Amino acid sequence: MTRSKVGAAVCGAVATAFITSLLSTSALAAPPVDLSKWSPEYVKSVAGTKDFDTAADCAKVTPLDYKGRVTLWYQGVFEGDPDILRQNYKEFFEAFRATYPNIVLEDQGITYNDLLDKFRTALLGNAAPMVVRLQILGGTEFAAKGYLQPLKPEDIGYTSEDFWPGAMKAVTWDGVTYGVPTNNETMGFIWNADVFKRAGLDPEKPPATWDEVVKYSKQIHDKLGISGYGLVARKNAGNTPYRFMPQLWAYGGGVFDEASSDPTYKEVELSSAQSKAALQASYDMYVRDKSVPVSALTNQQADNQPLFLAGQLGMMISHPSDYNVMLDLQKKATGADAEKAQTVIDNMRYGLIPAGPDGKRAVVFGGSNIHILKPEYVDGGKVDEPAAKALICMWTSPEWSLKLAWVGSNPGNLNGFLTKWMKTRLETTPFLDVTTSMLPYGVPFPALPESPEIMNIIVPDMLQNALTGAMTVDQSADDAAKKVKDLMAGGGL
Amino acid sequence: MTTATGRAEPSRTSPRGEPGALRAMWQHRVDYAYVLPSIVVMLIVIAYPIYYTIDLSFYKTPPSLQLRDKIFVGMENYTAILSSDVFWRVTWNTVVWTFGSTVFSFMLGFGAALALHRDFFGRGVMRAILIIPWVISAVAASYIWKWIYHSDFGVIGAVLVGLGITSRPPNFIDNVDTVLPALIVVNIWREFPFAMIMMMAGLQTVPDQLLRAAKVDGANAWQRFWHVTFPHLSSVSTVTVLLLAVSNFNSFIIPWIMTGGGPSNASHIWITHIYELAFGRQRWGVASAYSVLLFLILMALGYFYVRALGGNESKDRGT
């Protein structure tokens, strides 16, 4: 199956998939794109159909000659990102300074795993920046604590319908909107066709279910002596929930009922039979079959990338950007290593993330949101609102919300799909259609202040307890469920 | 001479204390004025944080509330800590980590100091090489060692597999049984140069004439070491061990960067656990209670350290 055939296949799958939680709200009155028609072909058909003038749009929010100062912390580019993303970030800041020459912008990029800790610490000392761009998991906590100013797309010249309904839920706490989505992402399933072929598997057919992932992983390991699936189970690393939660949801489990169309987050589901089945699948790969990297407990996705490029890993979950990361890494290789890396790149395939035993398919609806802090928590005690809104307007514009998500995810502003840059992006970024096809299967993390602890600590702990043999699978799941219950009740260690 | 403790001499004018103490302070008012700025700074940067930490340890801080909205829970954090399995596990890890790192760093450092105390060709170069682990960044060292230990493509694993000694790379840091010893090895590697420098300094104070006299009296090398050199180094040894112990008790960088306390809490020591509780889980109250307990333990170690220093000073004065 060629790449285009893969695209066609996922198109068919997506056409029949119902867009549940992300699309089932009354907020879909008049979105700029028809979400009910969502498919790779539809995305291609609307790309390049509308022009936008970012500076003119933002001038309506904050005059271009406005004189002011804004401080920004953002979850930015890190070691696992491709160089093209670094370039796009650089261009954005240059563009902002050119558009608003009289606004002094002090920006600071912080990696995903460090941002929450640093931001929390700064807030305790009333030393936060005026604007912060946080991972989707983090915003609710700070909104609940009262650190954020109410901020909705209408405040910066857009409408709430311009953004994914699921993303808008993630910036809403207690009925009030506290931020604007910058980008939204869903990952895809990547495999090495050459490894599949040598292991006796169909090189163009990815595993359809998670049970098949376990089976394929074992077959690859037994036949070739390399790791089959790129399991990640490090604690305090965003990569872990992004890879385990799709598995958990596909088996019908969850932390709560977050995978349902109308989640209530009342009942803890981690100790359900379905959740345990998902955990058992990881256990089978790590302990029983030893078919995944041993280092999965201390490593993250950035460590899987070189393994994959070296032909030492058969399958993994990641962004379309991993293709560009592989290209970047390949450029740094020399001699036989470079040739080997090229072979891997030529054999990279992307597909839908596997489904569960009942055909349920899921992926984390991730991304980031941008927020304005209340003045009393900001370094210096003041927020320059016009300057902050000018920055947010530009970042979340159709143009820049797309460019800043170039190879990693999708624009938070749905108008980004209509731009000419989207057309360019589709033409130049392989496998993009696969991950946009996963959007309808996206499940947002629970919009709760406790979510960071659940996703970054409790869920990885559950995995580690099971995979190290510190507890049985059942005990690990029960222990994690108890921790979540205690946490939600305001107690526990 | 009657003063043997090295403490300030008590007021001669008032054996009962208070008025005499005030008078003594008044007599030394200029001295106090000189140290006042330092005392004020210490009160701000040390005393207040200690007070605040103790205060915070009596409160609960749920993730949905700001710190200022904390809820008073009395001793609940302390009872929760002492009744939790994780606490005892982390405490045991901390004891193993501190004891193992301190003892082996000291022994290795002492051995290296004895070796380098002798005059031989290339001694200066050897001394410089051995100091390298201590002077390089702990963060950089942690990443390098993580790569050396890596369970899939680590240097040690590659060598062992290459030599045909094992079929798979050994699992050092992704295994609950081996992770802590593996981290202790890294810590020893980083710390032994400190012990070496301290003991080298101590060795230079051992009087040559004593060693020569012992030799003339027929003492062999071991007897000279055990009966002359080692007793002379007891004070510096005590100080070195205490400093290493305090430093190890407070270690953070190596375990946090290499494993984050994992897998399954197997390499969590007090400091990393406190950090995770506070910054990862926002349990500021519980983390503060942990910190208070840690503070008490370190104060006890500090007490012995000061006593050891006092002992040194007494010996130096020959009292």
Side-chain angles (χ1 to χ4, degrees), chain A residues 116-117 120-121 124 141-142 144-147 173 221 227 234-236 286 289-290 292-299 303 306-307 376-377 449-450 452-453 457-458 461 464-465 468 470 483 486-487 489-493, chain B residues 60 62-69 77 80-82 84 86-87 89 146 150-153 168 171 173-176 256-265 268 273 275-284 286 290:
Chain A
L116 285 181
D117 288 359
R120 284 173 184 145
T121 311
L124 292 176
E141 172 194 328
F142 302 105
K145 284 178 171 170
Y147 289 126
W173 174 252
H221 177 260
S227 296
R234 185 184 165 93
K235 198 154 79 165
N236 275 312
Y286 191 86
D289 302 337
K290 296 181 172 49
V292 295
V294 181
S295 55
L297 306 182
T298 45
N299 278 345
D303 298 285
L307 270 182
E376 57 264 42
Y377 305 111
E450 293 84 0
E453 178 170 346
I457 310 269
I458 295 176
D461 252 348
Q464 292 200 348
N465 285 334
T468 58
K483 284 177 183 164
D486 288 346
L487 175 66
L493 279 184
Chain B
K60 189 157 77 173
S64 56
L65 294 181
Q66 283 192 32
L67 200 54
R68 67 183 181 196
D69 301 322
N77 289 332
I81 288 171
L82 294 172
S84 92
V86 177
F87 168 75
R89 171 115 198 235
K146 193 177 173 190
H150 199 284
S151 310
D152 291 300
F153 48 86
R168 288 188 68 141
N171 183 354
I173 56 174
D174 291 277
N175 181 317
V176 289
W256 187 255
I257 288 182
M258 290 185 67
T259 63
S264 200
N265 295 326
H268 251 322
H273 190 51
Y275 178 85
E276 185 182 287
L277 280 167
F279 294 94
R281 303 171 60 188
Q282 305 162 81
R283 310 296 179 86
W284 303 102
V286 180
Y290 259 106

Side-chain angles (χ1 to χ4, degrees), chain A residues 474-488:
Chain A
D474 280 358
Q475 287 169 340
S476 306
D478 293 342
D479 176 68
K482 182 178 180 303
K483 284 177 183 164
V484 174
K485 283 176 191 164
D486 288 346
L487 175 66
M488 298 308 290

Side-chain angles (χ1 to χ4, degrees), chain A residues 359-375:
Chain A
K360 188 171 184 179
R361 196 186 307 279
V363 66
V364 175
F365 185 77
S368 300
N369 307 311
I370 197 160
H371 311 272
I372 299 180
L373 277 291
K374 287 182 179 170

Side-chain angles (χ1 to χ4, degrees), chain A residues 4 127 161 192 197 302 343:
Chain A
S4 60
E161 289 73 33
N192 180 330
K197 191 177 174 186
T343 306

Side-chain angles (χ1 to χ4, degrees), chain A residues 62-296:
Chain A
T62 303
L64 299 182
D65 59 353
Y66 179 78
K67 195 173 180 181
R69 173 180 167 268
V70 62
T71 53
L72 164 75
W73 287 3
Y74 63 99
Q75 174 240 312
V77 203
F78 78 117
E79 69 268 22
D81 285 324
D83 290 340
I84 190 171
L85 208 56
R86 288 185 184 82
Q87 185 60 31
N88 286 5
Y89 270 81
K90 194 177 159 204
E91 284 174 12
F92 169 73
F93 290 118
E94 286 171 359
F96 179 78
R97 289 182 174 108
T99 308
Y100 286 97
N102 300 318
I103 294 180
V104 176
L105 168 64
E106 295 169 19
D107 60 283
Q108 193 178 140
I110 302 165
T111 60
Y112 186 101
N113 294 336
D114 296 326
L115 179 56
L116 285 181
D117 288 359
K118 182 163 178 170
F119 186 54
R120 284 173 184 145
T121 311
L123 285 166
L124 292 176
N126 299 334
M130 296 176 199
V131 177
V132 65
R133 182 213 187 203
L134 291 170
Q135 51 263 55
I136 200 166
L137 189 59
T140 311
E141 172 194 328
F142 302 105
K145 284 178 171 170
Y147 289 126
L148 307 178
Q149 289 193 35
L151 175 73
K152 54 188 186 301
E154 285 74 7
D155 298 330
I156 49 163
Y158 308 117
T159 69
S160 295
E161 289 73 33
D162 288 334
F163 297 83
W164 287 92
M168 290 309 298
K169 279 184 190 172
V171 289
T172 303
W173 174 252
D174 216 11
V176 180
T177 308
Y178 288 95
V180 182
T182 57
N183 62 299
N184 293 107
E185 64 187 36
T186 47
M187 298 190 192
F189 193 82
I190 305 172
W191 74 97
N192 180 330
D194 179 52
V195 167
F196 268 44
K197 191 177 174 186
R198 287 189 286 121
L201 297 164
D202 183 340
E204 303 301 338
K205 191 180 165 206
T209 64
W210 279 101
D211 289 340
E212 281 191 1
V213 173
V214 177
K215 192 176 140 198
Y216 283 27
S217 185
K218 179 172 169 34
Q219 191 165 332
I220 289 168
H221 177 260
D222 291 351
K223 287 268 174 71
L224 306 176
I226 63 173
S227 296
Y229 172 66
L231 184 78
V232 175
R234 185 184 165 93
K235 198 154 79 165
N236 275 312
N239 294 152
T240 303
Y242 271 83
R243 277 152 193 81
F244 180 69
M245 295 309 289
Q247 188 179 330
L248 188 69
W249 293 325
Y251 275 94
V255 174
F256 306 97
D257 57 349
E258 67 274 8
S260 66
S261 56
D262 193 17
T264 58
Y265 312 130
K266 297 288 182 202
E267 295 295 321
V268 177
E269 300 286 341
L270 269 178
S271 54
S272 70
Q274 292 87 345
S275 294
K276 286 177 181 175
L279 187 56
Q280 183 69 45
S282 293
Y283 177 89
D284 289 347
M285 287 190 278
Y286 191 86
V287 181
R288 187 192 68 189
D289 302 337
K290 296 181 172 49
S291 67
V292 295
V294 181
S295 55

